[in-house]
Amino acid sequence: MTIAPVLAADSRQHIADTTQELLEQADGVPDPWHQQLLDQVIILNAPVARSIASRYRSKGVDADDLEQVAYLGLVKAANGYRLDTSTAFLSYAVPTIRGELKRYFRDCAWTVRPPRRVQEMQGSIAAAEPELTQRLGRLPSDEETAEALGTEAVEIAEATSVRTCFNALSLDAPGAAEGGTTLGETVAAAEDGYELVENVHTLTPAVSELGDRDRRILELRFCDGRTQEEIGRELGVSQMHVSRLLRGILDRLRAELTRPPDRPARPSTARS
């Protein structure tokens, strides 16, 4: 899980500090100075928007269109951010950008448009699959996903069968370049350095609210790659207990990351 950052830690901090200073300067000043300062915030954080957009490149939408949608989300974040909240700007901007991209796919990016209920089910499956995969140690079956979502397996099968509706062309199709290159091989890789910036700014406030044991469990599972059984042996508890603890930790992190900026944070858990 270790990723070598492209930007040094002091550079990331400099961007965050400069962004905060620009937002403070923009607060309360009239246009055109107010908008000029927000424009600087947008330009400064544009690489983060491009990084988020790059994650959706394999879904059949032109990369330039994805970046424009991501920039629109960044503009909305810059104009909607309020200094009187305790949330860092990127912690507010990242979900805003993601939401803008998801709305674009929902409303505009289908080559073959399935019914809205199928689109919504796809979103529910995408949200549930990571946790189920983590808990089961493999991709869940349609029946397991259906049980987790409280629906029927046939509904899951229907939704997963139309995942290619954004673009029916296979990535194994020949590309424009000579030499047998496929379309899949021409897809640019995501910039890991900016992804790290996004993850650090998003997760740090939420993780800091966890107790020592919970942070240790996350470190063992996601940094060291330990199995739940190995974690249980180190902590002196059963694998089942580790599974429950891990599920509770992830639920708390998810609740904190999806908390609206104007809602107070949950009380921090007791340090263990």
Side-chain angles (χ1 to χ4, degrees):
M1 189 172 176
T2 302
I3 302 174
V6 172
L7 294 177
D10 55 349
S11 298
R12 298 198 304 269
Q13 189 60 48
H14 173 72
I15 291 175
D17 292 343
T18 304
T19 297
Q20 187 67 21
E21 291 174 3
L22 290 170
L23 290 169
E24 290 174 355
Q25 293 174 24
D27 188 42
V29 301
D31 281 331
W33 301 281
H34 175 82
Q35 191 57 53
Q36 290 173 357
L37 290 167
L38 292 186
D39 289 345
Q40 294 182 50
V41 170
I42 294 165
I43 293 171
L44 189 63
N45 291 276
V48 175
R50 288 196 297 271
S51 173
I52 299 173
S54 70
R55 300 181 179 185
Y56 296 82
R57 285 178 179 168
S58 62
K59 293 185 179 294
V61 177
D62 186 78
D64 290 339
D65 291 342
L66 290 175
E67 289 190 2
Q68 290 302 315
V69 175
Y71 291 147
L72 175 61
L74 179 58
V75 170
K76 288 185 176 181
N79 284 277
Y81 180 74
R82 295 293 177 265
L83 288 172
D84 55 1
T85 68
S86 59
T87 305
F89 174 71
L90 275 183
S91 297
Y92 173 77
V94 167
T96 303
I97 296 169
R98 284 177 175 164
E100 200 66 32
L101 284 162
K102 289 177 181 178
R103 278 191 293 273
Y104 179 79
F105 274 95
R106 182 193 67 194
D107 298 334
C108 306
W110 297 91
T111 300
V112 179
R113 183 179 292 274
R116 174 56 64 90
R117 63 176 179 80
V118 175
Q119 298 179 38
E120 293 175 348
M121 181 59 69
Q122 280 196 350
S124 298
I125 294 171
E129 270 189 350
E131 181 180 351
L132 289 172
T133 301
Q134 170 66 38
R135 173 152 51 90
L136 299 171
R138 56 175 171 77
L139 287 174
S141 65
D142 289 347
E143 289 75 13
E144 290 165 335
T145 303
E147 182 179 357
L149 296 178
T151 186
E152 300 294 331
V154 65
E155 299 286 340
I156 304 299
E158 181 183 15
T160 55
S161 69
V162 297
R163 281 178 169 172
T164 58
C165 282
F166 291 118
N167 187 351
L169 184 62
S170 171
L171 290 176
D172 292 328
E178 297 181 0
T181 303
T182 65
L183 289 176
E185 293 170 333
T186 64
V187 176
E191 175 51 68
D192 289 341
Y194 289 120
E195 181 179 353
L196 179 62
V197 174
E198 173 193 340
N199 290 339
V200 168
H201 279 275
T202 302
L203 284 172
T204 297
V207 173
S208 66
E209 295 297 321
L210 297 176
D212 294 338
R213 184 184 65 174
D214 290 348
R215 289 201 299 269
R216 179 60 177 162
I217 292 173
L218 290 179
E219 179 183 1
L220 291 172
R221 184 68 186 93
F222 297 107
C223 295
D224 297 348
R226 304 279 191 89
T227 65
Q228 293 181 3
E229 184 177 356
E230 291 171 335
I231 296 172
R233 283 200 297 266
E234 175 161 329
L235 299 181
V237 298
S238 68
Q239 182 271 335
M240 186 68 70
H241 189 52
V242 172
S243 177
R244 289 195 296 267
L245 289 173
L246 188 59
R247 189 181 309 118
I249 294 169
L250 295 178
D251 286 344
R252 290 198 299 275
L253 289 177
R254 188 178 298 107
E256 181 63 22
L257 292 176
T258 56
R259 177 177 59 85
D262 56 348
R263 182 179 298 173
R266 295 175 58 183
S268 60
T269 56
R271 304 291 179 186
S272 50

